[in-house]
């Protein structure tokens, strides 16, 4: 299985700060990485597909970058509704895997 | 609009089987895409369990392959998850989802507790 390592595990920020969340793959996966936001009692929501492709209805403050093994989800000027958990997921292999998540919390 | 809805018992006894249904509206499961089961454990961990594709073939994560089965009823536009010989480690919220590249539509999830 392809292992995805997310860092940091927890990120404490104040609203208005800009942040970067990291996802590293155990082997090269081209741009086959997708990002999700997970809030308590809600289903995961797709934010970014194929590393950097935007999703309709997702605020423009969310962006993604990277290829190969290193990927980044950036949030430009965090808003209060953004405090949640973020996961990366690979589809390079049809044995899909998720990262362990990064919790974005209020400082 | 595509909608997925999980259903099934919220409590299962250890060693028994867990069976869940995902009912899909707004899209035929035989048209395209893979139809997945994903679970979220207490804490943060998300685990992809497996899928059945539009042709009816299934694929499972290796750690669960010996215990799970994903099947479907095309007449009802539903697909199913069965997990055998459950333990407390199978306590989780179970989601069905479309796709994988990426998962673009999700059900609301059903919480399943394994306890005697």
């Amino acid at each position: 299985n392809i292992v995805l390592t997310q860092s940091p595990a927890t990120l404490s920020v104040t609203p208005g700060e800009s942040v970067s969340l990291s996802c590293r793959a155990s082997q090269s996966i081209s741009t086959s990485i997708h990002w999700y936001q997970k809030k308590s009692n809600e289903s995961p929501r797709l934010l970014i597909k194929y590393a950097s492709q935007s999703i309709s209805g997702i605020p423009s403050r969310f962006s993604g970058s990277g290829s190969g093994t290193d990927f980044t989800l950036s949030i430009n000027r965090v808003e209060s509704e953004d405090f949640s958990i973020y996961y990366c997921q690979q589809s390079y292999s049809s044995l899909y895997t998720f990262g362990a998540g990064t919790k974005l919390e209020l400082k | 609009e595509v909608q997925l809805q999980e259903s099934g018992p919220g409590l299962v006894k250890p060693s028994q089987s867990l069976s869940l249904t995902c009912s899909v509206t707004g899209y035929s499961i035989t048209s395209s895409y893979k139809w997945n089961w994903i679970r979220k454990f207490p804490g943060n961990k998300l685990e992809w369990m497996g899928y059945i594709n539009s042709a009816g073939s299934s694929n499972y994560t290796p750690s669960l392959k010996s215990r799970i089965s994903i099947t479907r009823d095309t007449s009802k536009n539903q697909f199913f998850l069965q997990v055998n010989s459950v333990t407390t480690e199978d306590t989780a919220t179970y989601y069905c989802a479309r796709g994988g590249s990426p998962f673009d539509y999700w059900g609301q999830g059903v919480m399943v507790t394994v306890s005697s």
Side-chain angles (χ1 to χ4, degrees):
Chain A
N1 279 17
I2 296 173
V3 176
L4 299 177
T5 302
Q6 290 190 245
S7 62
T10 304
L11 193 54
S12 301
V13 302
T14 56
E17 284 188 61
S18 294
V19 299
S20 293
L21 285 62
S22 173
C23 178
R24 178 165 291 177
S26 59
Q27 66 180 74
S28 179
I29 58 170
S30 185
T31 58
S32 298
I33 201 81
H34 318 291
W35 291 93
Y36 302 84
Q37 178 189 56
K38 175 73 173 72
K39 295 183 178 181
S40 296
N41 302 317
E42 294 183 10
S43 304
R45 178 172 72 149
L46 177 64
L47 297 176
I48 297 287
K49 64 179 181 180
Y50 290 105
S52 62
Q53 296 181 18
S54 59
I55 301 297
S56 175
I58 300 300
S60 59
R61 63 181 180 275
F62 292 95
S63 63
S65 63
S67 66
T69 59
D70 291 318
F71 303 91
T72 300
L73 175 70
S74 299
I75 310 175
N76 183 34
R77 292 195 262 186
V78 170
E79 299 189 6
S80 57
E81 65 191 40
D82 300 336
F83 293 108
S84 55
I85 302 174
Y86 293 85
Y87 296 92
C88 55
Q89 174 246 327
Q90 65 80 23
S91 61
Y92 185 82
S93 162
S94 61
L95 298 179
Y96 305 127
T97 49
F98 289 92
T102 291
K103 182 178 182 180
L104 187 66
E105 66 175 23
L106 180 63
K107 183 185 283 185
Chain B
E1 183 188 2
V2 179
Q3 293 187 321
L4 294 86
Q5 173 84 51
E6 305 89 349
S7 58
L11 181 64
V12 181
K13 293 187 185 322
S15 80
Q16 294 189 343
S17 293
L18 178 165
S19 295
L20 298 175
T21 297
C22 182
S23 300
V24 181
T25 57
Y27 196 90
S28 170
I29 63 172
T30 62
S31 290
S32 186
Y33 292 100
K34 297 167 181 171
W35 301 90
N36 302 265
W37 287 99
I38 296 161
R39 61 183 178 177
K40 183 183 178 298
F41 297 100
N44 293 345
K45 183 181 176 183
L46 271 177
E47 179 180 55
W48 170 76
M49 303 177 72
Y51 65 70
I52 187 165
N53 66 18
S54 57
S57 298
S58 301
N59 194 20
Y60 307 122
T61 193
S63 63
L64 292 173
K65 196 169 186 176
S66 63
R67 289 201 298 134
I68 75 169
S69 175
I70 299 176
T71 57
R72 67 182 184 174
D73 183 336
T74 58
S75 68
K76 295 182 178 179
N77 214 37
Q78 296 175 327
F79 63 106
F80 313 103
L81 171 70
Q82 180 169 316
V83 183
N84 299 320
S85 305
V86 298
T87 72
T88 56
E89 303 293 305
D90 294 307
T91 293
T93 298
Y94 288 75
Y95 296 93
C96 55
R98 187 183 83 164
S101 302
F103 301 110
D104 56 358
Y105 288 95
W106 296 67
Q108 87 287 353
V110 58
M111 186 178 297
V112 178
T113 301
V114 179
S115 174
S116 55

